[in-house]
């Protein structure tokens, strides 16, 4: 249904705001006036995944920690869930990765930026005695490396800023974003490319070779071809091709065939280059080869 990304300095009050947000959303979902789909609100954070504060002390331990968070987020996302990711989310590249994952599942997205000064965050961090703290050097490093969300980039939009001075959260803005926001289609770069069937290469080579042989056989039998010609490459498939009014050499056809096969071998190996076109049947290959020959044979 929706992904809400919480971002802010460490110890800026993100977890408190995430809990406020969850309670407010659940109240609206349970209100008798609500007539939408049945939804659940889930908070995902480092504590629920048992990720230590020490994990952010160096890149070697931080990378698998972010990987664990991302994997858990992918498992929790769904059309029946409003997922609140309450983590540092201080790297814009990671927020973009989360945004792309949400788009893959056609979820609405929203970023809540919990704003607090660095001085306040230091004060609150020092005062926290009931939960594990960040090592002092790690805490200062996180403050310095924080990449502030921006409403100017698509992966942080819509962006809702929540200053530490505000007692209440802007639930109306969040509700509108997760219930009425635009559902964007998946990025083209992240979509799975349809794969060609396992016999596509054999079909490509066999069909083109058979057509070259058929053209040469018809030319030999008739003493010269021109205009529309029907090629009997199989009992059930007889494509028609328009040829120029001159003798065509075997070497000329072989050169055109090699060029055609080379281009389409790449498409088979790496994925189709034609949007939605993954038909590698004999009829489809023959039709494409006919057009290719007609375009490349000089009059």
């Amino acid at each position: 249904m929706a992904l809400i990304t919480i971002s802010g300095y460490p110890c800026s009050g993100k977890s408190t705001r995430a809990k406020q947000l969850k309670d407010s959303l659940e109240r609206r979902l349970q209100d008798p006036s609500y007539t939408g789909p049945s939804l659940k609100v889930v908070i995902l954070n480092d504590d629920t995944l048992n990720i230590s504060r020490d994990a952010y002390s160096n890149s070697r331990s931080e990378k698998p920690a972010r990987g664990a968070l991302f994997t858990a987020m992918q498992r929790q996302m769904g059309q029946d869930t409003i997922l609140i990711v309450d983590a540092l989310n201080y790297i814009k590249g990671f927020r973009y990765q989360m945004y792309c994952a949400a788009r893959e599942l056609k979820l609405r997205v929203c970023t809540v930026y919990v704003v607090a000064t660095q001085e306040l965050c230091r004060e609150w961090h020092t005062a926290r005695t009931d939960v594990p703290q960040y090592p002092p050097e790690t805490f200062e490093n996180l403050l310095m490396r924080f990449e502030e969300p921006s409403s100017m980039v698509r992966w942080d939009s819509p962006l809702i800023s929540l200053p530490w001075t505000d007692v209440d959260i802007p639930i109306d803005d969040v509700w509108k974003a997760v219930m009425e926001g635009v559902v964007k289609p998946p990025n083209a770069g992240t979509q799975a490319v349809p794969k060609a069937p396992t016999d596509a290469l054999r079909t490509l080579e066999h069909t083109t070779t058979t057509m070259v042989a058929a053209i040469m056989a018809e030319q030999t039998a008739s003493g010269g071809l021109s205009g529309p010609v029907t090629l009997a490459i199989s009992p059930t498939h007889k494509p028609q091709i328009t040829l120029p009014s001159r003798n065509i050499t075997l070497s000329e056809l072989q050169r055109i065939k090699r060029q055609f096969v080379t281009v389409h071998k790449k498409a088979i190996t790496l994925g189709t280059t034609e949007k939605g076109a993954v038909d590698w049947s004999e009829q489809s290959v023959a039709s494409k080869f006919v057009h290719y020959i007609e375009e490349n044979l000089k009059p």
Side-chain angles (χ1 to χ4, degrees):
M1 178 63 179
L3 170 68
I4 301 175
T5 302
I6 307 290
S7 183
Y9 286 137
C11 298
S12 59
K14 296 187 300 299
S15 296
T16 300
R17 297 301 194 175
K19 183 65 168 58
Q20 282 183 298
L21 190 56
K22 181 177 186 291
D23 293 342
S24 297
L25 289 172
E26 287 180 336
R27 280 195 296 269
R28 292 207 172 193
L29 292 171
Q30 294 166 6
D31 191 283
S33 62
Y34 173 71
T35 57
S38 177
L39 302 173
K40 60 182 179 181
V41 184
V42 177
I43 294 178
L44 184 66
N45 55 35
D46 288 348
D47 292 335
T48 60
L49 298 174
N50 294 318
I51 296 176
S52 169
R53 301 292 191 273
D54 292 332
Y56 296 95
S57 296
N58 58 76
S59 58
R60 181 175 295 180
S61 58
E62 182 178 350
K63 186 175 180 179
R66 282 206 307 271
L69 177 66
F70 185 74
T71 301
M73 182 197 75
Q74 288 180 301
R75 287 198 300 264
Q76 293 280 4
M77 288 192 303
Q79 293 298 326
D80 64 341
T81 304
I82 298 175
L83 179 62
I84 302 172
V85 181
D86 167 31
L88 288 172
N89 302 326
Y90 68 99
I91 300 174
K92 61 183 178 182
F94 185 58
R95 295 198 298 268
Y96 175 71
Q97 187 179 4
M98 296 165 66
Y99 165 80
C100 289
R103 284 184 61 171
E104 277 295 296
L105 295 177
K106 298 182 180 180
L107 306 182
R108 295 183 176 92
V109 295
C110 172
T111 302
V112 176
Y113 177 24
V114 181
V115 183
T117 66
Q118 292 188 4
E119 290 73 19
L120 273 176
C121 293
R122 291 189 183 97
E123 180 183 332
W124 291 337
H125 179 248
T126 304
R128 296 176 70 177
T129 58
D130 55 331
V131 293
Q133 294 185 340
Y134 294 97
E137 185 178 342
T138 301
F139 182 81
E140 292 298 326
N141 191 29
L142 290 172
L143 291 178
M144 181 180 63
R145 293 166 57 197
F146 181 75
E147 296 176 337
E148 183 176 334
S150 171
S151 59
M152 300 298 292
V153 297
R154 62 188 183 278
W155 58 87
D156 287 333
S157 300
L159 178 64
I160 300 171
S161 296
L162 185 53
W164 77 93
T165 53
D166 291 357
V167 177
D168 298 322
I169 60 173
I171 185 59
D172 290 337
D173 294 339
V174 176
W175 180 262
K176 183 177 181 180
V178 300
M179 302 302 293
E180 303 174 17
V182 177
V183 179
K184 297 182 180 179
N187 282 332
T190 62
Q191 295 185 69
V193 177
K195 297 298 182 183
T198 55
D199 63 343
L201 285 173
R202 188 200 66 80
T203 301
L204 176 66
E205 188 66 41
H206 173 75
T207 302
T208 53
T209 300
T210 303
M211 289 181 66
V212 168
I215 292 174
M216 296 306 299
E218 289 288 340
Q219 183 172 256
T220 301
S222 63
L225 296 173
S226 64
V229 176
T230 300
L231 304 176
I233 64 173
S234 73
T236 59
H237 188 219
K238 299 178 180 182
Q240 191 175 74
I241 184 171
T242 302
L243 299 174
S245 55
R246 64 175 178 82
N247 281 334
I248 304 167
T249 65
L250 177 60
S251 62
E252 190 177 11
L253 283 177
Q254 291 284 20
R255 175 181 56 81
I256 294 173
K257 170 185 172 292
R258 284 195 300 270
Q259 293 173 345
F260 179 82
V261 169
T262 299
V263 170
H264 287 78
K265 269 186 177 179
K266 185 176 181 181
I268 291 172
T269 305
L270 302 180
T272 179
T273 57
E274 304 172 37
K275 295 288 186 181
V278 289
D279 186 1
W280 294 100
S281 65
E282 181 184 359
Q283 291 81 2
S284 177
V285 171
S287 176
K288 291 177 182 179
F289 192 39
V290 163
H291 291 303
Y292 193 81
I293 292 174
E294 291 175 343
E295 290 175 0
N296 287 274
L297 275 180
K298 296 179 180 179

